[in-house]
Amino acid sequence: MRAEKTTIDRRSFLKAALLAGGGMILQFNWPGPIAAAAENNPTESAPFTLNSYIKIHPDGKVTLFNPNPEFGQNVNTSLPMILAEELDVSWDHVQVEQADFFPERFERQFTGGSQSIRRAWPVLRTAGATARQMLILAAAQHWAVSADEITTDAGILYHKKSDQKLSYGDIASAAALIPLPKNVKLKAIADFKIIGSSKRNVEIDNIVTGKPLFTSDYKKEGMLIAMIVHPASFGREITAIDDKAVRQMPGIKEVFIMEPVLKDYKKNGFDVFTYEQVAVIVGNTTWEVMQAKKKLILQLSRPTGNARNGKPDFLESTARHYADMEHHSTLPAEVKRRDGDPESAFKKAARIIERTYTAPFLVHNTMEPVSCFADVRADHAELYAPIQAPEFITTTLSARLGLPKEKIKINLARMGGGFGLRAYGHHVVEAAVISQKIKAPVKLMYTREDEATYGIYRPSYSATYRAALDENNQLIGFHIKAGGIPETPLHENRFPAGAIDNYLAEAWAIPSAITIGAFRAPRSNFIASAEQSFLDELAFEMKKDPLDFRLELLKRAKEKPVGQRNDYDADRYAGVIQLLKDKAAILARPAGTGRGMAAYFCHNTYAAVMVDIGMKNNEPYVKQALATLDCGIVINKDAAINMAEGALIDGIGNALYGEQLFMDGVPLKSNFNTYRMIRMNEAPEKIEVHFVENQDNPTGMGEPLFPPTFAAVANALFDHTGKRYYKQPFVKQYLDENKSPVI
């Protein structure tokens, strides 16, 4: 295979700089266009104010500045692997530095949507290839030979005709003065040595030895501890506090009511603040503040909902949520897509299959509850924060603190889990406002109970599917009507859209005072479960193998697609299902288990999953699992497998156990003694992960396998018990129907 060529845009890649003390720095754009900078050759003490860079040190070591926040998805290892591959340097010579938030240099510092590798792929390849070509040109000048005669391997330049060699470090300073090459060759994929292999996490030593990595570990002299107290009930607000007892407790410095954002501030998409006001307690130690929280008395308003804010004027409860969703599913809804004449198809149908699926609110339950350090002064602010989207929260901080954005510095902490929760910067704003108020550095700490009851949940959803079958038992119409509280989960242009002549997709939503946010594979995490469960049921009614039925539909979508807005590649979708089918055929099913399969496309990746489910302690549990993925080129195989295993276990746990309940606006589950998470002894005993081998650009890995896992569990339960389970969490429904005590 021939190597690819790429042309350098000088607005994206400019001349390399000479490092003070020798060496080379190549600054480049990550990931989009930026303003052109000066054409001179600055030293390290006066670098380009550009986007990102590679350093090649005199000793041959290579450093990559990584702007993407790390929360366990291993970008601090996988991203430099791409660079090392194209640079053709030995992996043990590569190191990575986590960039702090630097909007002037980095255009997009955001971790989410399974986009880190996908967006960095072309940029890092080109950057690495550019640096390598400049080293070759510098060596050619040094030896007075043609650049075409020079080869590279593991950080060494070779001129085989004269039997000469140089390390990258030997020639890096000279390479920094080479004019930027206009065209560079990218490696042929067949020549990859690092990409596609498995590399050890570069931070593993810090992780296993407990070196400070997280905000919870951060300390600064003079720092105080702060915690918030919010209303126990969604839909109510604080009107006053009784803090007499609190102020007399040891170590307590301040007690006050705070507005996270001012009423006239127009929120952006990642501004989610559940309450207009929260109470704040500041003290010397975490323990002292936690004890003080128990003594603070809040006076609360009646439900604050009205037509203006779109919230209900009553306190919400789970029973009413489900009743309201059931009612809304019968009302007229917004048509999002219509192909053919679905109404006529259903009118003339010989048989109609209809099923409704529901799911509860879910709590993110990250390993580390949210926290943030803030030191806000009159003329600047410095924060140490675990956040997925620092670029979005600076606008909010600037407006609330009255400081220009350039005076706000955010140091990015490693996140102890995210799943979408840390895309929202409420904790960052709260910490900053508290610090500004008390005129001291402060670390805001959430307890597990704070995080579980504050909101920003995965919404509660419901979807009704209908299929029209003719007298020959063939599918002639398909209808999905999906909604939730307070949003719809519908993706109207995803499979099986495009595979059925008569197709209708409708959406509805119910307002709520309960705040929601992105939850691993937003919306997909429910709609995949409903869709893939219904396709299994439909295949059963049509007396077809479930996977063969999907493959038939995908063949139609490939050969004679319906509509122009289908957002999946039918051939790749079919490929990942076929691989699952092939691998499942040779994986023995454990005795006494039922087998279920499902597939889904989201975040640019095709994923399929199979689980074998049995019983343990009179409850369903997954004994073994199999996953297949088409995520393009796999960068770090072990890391990709680890993410797949994590997504599978997370999906199994949420499908079987995950549920937040409400009574009069109060969340009923606030810690792991009531909110059940999957335990180590409930995880599958065996998980196999296989990848479709191709040369497509890499796509997402953190989220795509999560959604179909829910449906695979549901389908396996049917295969094992002969009964369909429509209401998550499935263990609760199973225990209810078998009259066993509910955990």
Side-chain angles (χ1 to χ4, degrees), residues 1-5 125 132 185-189 191:
M1 178 179 175
R2 291 182 300 174
E4 299 175 59
K5 280 191 176 182
R125 290 193 70 192
R132 186 172 72 93
K185 285 184 179 180
L186 301 180
K187 266 190 179 181
I189 293 171
D191 294 334

Side-chain angles (χ1 to χ4, degrees), residues 30 58 81 83 95 111 127-128 215 251 316 359 372 426 504 671:
W30 182 329
M81 286 177 69
L83 172 72
Q95 55 197 19
T111 293
T215 312
E316 300 173 56
C372 180
H426 56 286
L504 178 64
N671 211 320

Side-chain angles (χ1 to χ4, degrees), residues 71 149 221 296 351 447 473 512 516 525 540 568 607 631 636:
F71 63 4
E149 298 176 359
E221 190 169 344
L296 187 66
R351 187 159 62 121
T447 64
N473 212 32
S512 175
I516 63 162
N525 55 50
F540 180 82
Y568 60 92
C631 56
N636 187 344

Side-chain angles (χ1 to χ4, degrees), residues 165-451:
K165 65 180 181 180
L166 289 168
S167 76
Y168 283 3
D170 293 335
I171 204 70
S173 295
L177 305 177
I178 293 290
L180 187 77
K182 292 183 178 180
N183 294 286
V184 295
K185 285 184 179 180
L186 301 180
K187 266 190 179 181
I189 293 171
D191 294 334
F192 283 171
K193 300 174 184 176
I194 296 174
I195 292 173
S197 65
S198 295
K199 298 301 178 186
R200 179 174 176 263
N201 187 321
V202 297
E203 289 191 338
I204 193 66
D205 290 341
N206 287 338
I207 294 170
V208 300
T209 58
K211 292 182 180 178
L213 292 167
F214 307 102
T215 312
S216 303
D217 303 308
Y218 192 80
K219 295 179 181 178
K220 187 173 183 179
E221 190 169 344
M223 179 185 78
L224 297 173
I225 299 296
M227 291 187 177
I228 64 167
V229 183
H230 61 74
S233 175
F234 289 101
R236 303 179 75 179
E237 295 288 345
I238 296 174
T239 58
I241 59 174
D242 181 349
D243 59 2
K244 293 177 184 177
V246 174
R247 290 186 177 276
Q248 296 173 10
M249 297 181 72
I252 300 305
K253 300 292 186 182
E254 294 281 354
V255 187
F256 56 92
I257 295 176
M258 176 187 71
E259 291 181 294
V261 291
L262 302 178
K263 288 184 174 61
D264 59 351
Y265 173 68
K266 186 177 181 181
K267 297 177 184 178
N268 67 51
F270 283 90
D271 282 334
V272 177
F273 298 92
T274 303
Y275 301 98
E276 294 179 1
Q277 295 185 129
V278 293
V280 178
I281 303 175
V282 183
N284 289 327
T285 68
T286 303
W287 177 256
E288 288 170 331
V289 177
M290 287 180 69
Q291 299 314 301
K293 285 182 64 175
K294 300 173 184 177
K295 299 292 186 181
L296 187 66
I297 299 172
L298 305 184
Q299 296 179 20
L300 303 177
S301 68
R302 295 178 65 82
T304 56
N306 54 54
R308 179 181 59 79
N309 63 25
K311 297 179 181 179
D313 59 0
F314 55 86
L315 297 176
E316 300 173 56
S317 296
T318 298
R320 180 160 182 171
H321 284 159
Y322 283 115
D324 286 349
M325 288 196 296
E326 184 177 0
H327 176 64
H328 265 71
S329 68
T330 66
L331 301 177
E334 180 184 3
V335 175
K336 305 296 288 187
R337 174 166 172 160
R338 183 196 302 274
D339 294 328
D341 189 352
E343 288 83 1
S344 295
F346 277 91
K347 193 173 292 185
K348 67 181 182 182
R351 187 159 62 121
I352 295 174
I353 311 299
E354 179 175 329
R355 303 287 188 270
T356 297
Y357 308 85
T358 62
F361 285 91
L362 295 177
V363 181
H364 286 85
N365 280 321
T366 57
M367 184 68 72
E368 176 198 28
V370 297
S371 58
C372 180
F373 168 83
D375 188 0
V376 179
R377 309 293 177 90
D379 58 348
H380 73 278
E382 183 169 2
L383 299 102
Y384 190 77
I387 185 167
Q388 293 174 231
E391 63 182 293
F392 296 114
I393 205 62
T394 51
T395 299
T396 313
L397 285 168
S398 178
R400 186 62 179 84
L401 300 176
L403 289 172
K405 291 182 181 181
E406 59 269 20
K407 297 295 183 180
I408 300 171
K409 181 181 180 183
I410 301 179
N411 304 302
L412 297 179
R414 184 183 178 95
M415 291 172 278
F419 309 116
L421 176 66
R422 285 186 168 93
Y424 305 93
H426 56 286
H427 55 296
V428 180
V429 177
E430 289 164 353
V433 175
I434 294 168
S435 176
Q436 186 180 58
K437 165 81 173 176
I438 66 174
K439 295 181 173 58
V442 64
K443 181 159 68 175
L444 172 68
M445 302 286 290
Y446 271 51
T447 64
R448 179 68 62 190
E449 288 82 2
D450 292 331
E451 186 172 286

Side-chain angles (χ1 to χ4, degrees), residues 531-702:
E531 168 203 293
Q532 291 291 307
S533 295
F534 184 68
L535 289 178
D536 251 46
E537 291 204 64
L538 191 51
F540 180 82
E541 295 292 339
M542 297 173 70
K543 296 179 173 52
K544 294 186 176 184
D545 175 84
L547 292 187
D548 287 344
F549 176 52
R550 289 168 174 82
L551 292 172
E552 286 177 20
L553 291 172
L554 286 163
K555 183 179 179 182
R556 165 67 197 279
K558 176 185 176 181
E559 296 177 353
K560 193 177 178 183
V562 180
Q564 303 296 319
R565 294 175 292 154
N566 309 320
D567 64 0
Y568 60 92
D569 181 317
D571 205 32
R572 293 183 71 179
Y573 205 145
V576 80
I577 293 176
Q578 186 62 54
L579 181 61
L580 183 79
K581 185 177 180 180
D582 294 344
K583 296 297 182 182
I586 58 177
L587 182 63
R589 182 194 303 194
T593 64
R595 177 165 287 189
M597 306 185 195
Y600 199 65
F601 165 74
C602 68
H603 298 85
N604 309 105
T605 291
Y606 302 83
V609 60
M610 180 216 78
V611 300
D612 290 330
I613 205 162
M615 293 292 161
K616 180 187 288 187
N617 299 324
N618 298 317
E619 287 186 1
Y621 91 108
V622 174
K623 188 170 180 64
Q624 71 176 5
L626 166 70
T628 58
L629 296 106
D630 181 351
C631 56
I633 296 168
V634 178
I635 307 300
N636 187 344
K637 191 168 184 179
D638 275 356
I641 290 172
N642 289 342
M643 280 195 286
E645 291 171 340
L648 267 168
I649 294 170
D650 195 18
I652 292 166
N654 278 286
L656 292 177
Y657 314 120
E659 179 186 49
Q660 180 60 289
L661 301 173
F662 303 89
M663 178 64 72
D664 295 330
V666 178
L668 300 184
K669 299 185 179 185
S670 61
N671 211 320
F672 296 139
N673 62 323
T674 52
Y675 194 106
R676 184 170 173 184
M677 300 284 288
I678 191 168
R679 299 175 177 89
M680 291 289 287
N681 65 348
E682 294 166 336
E685 298 169 13
K686 178 181 180 180
I687 298 176
E688 282 190 17
V689 179
H690 301 275
F691 299 96
V692 174
E693 294 185 8
N694 58 38
Q695 296 188 354
D696 291 310
N697 288 346
T699 53
M701 264 303 303

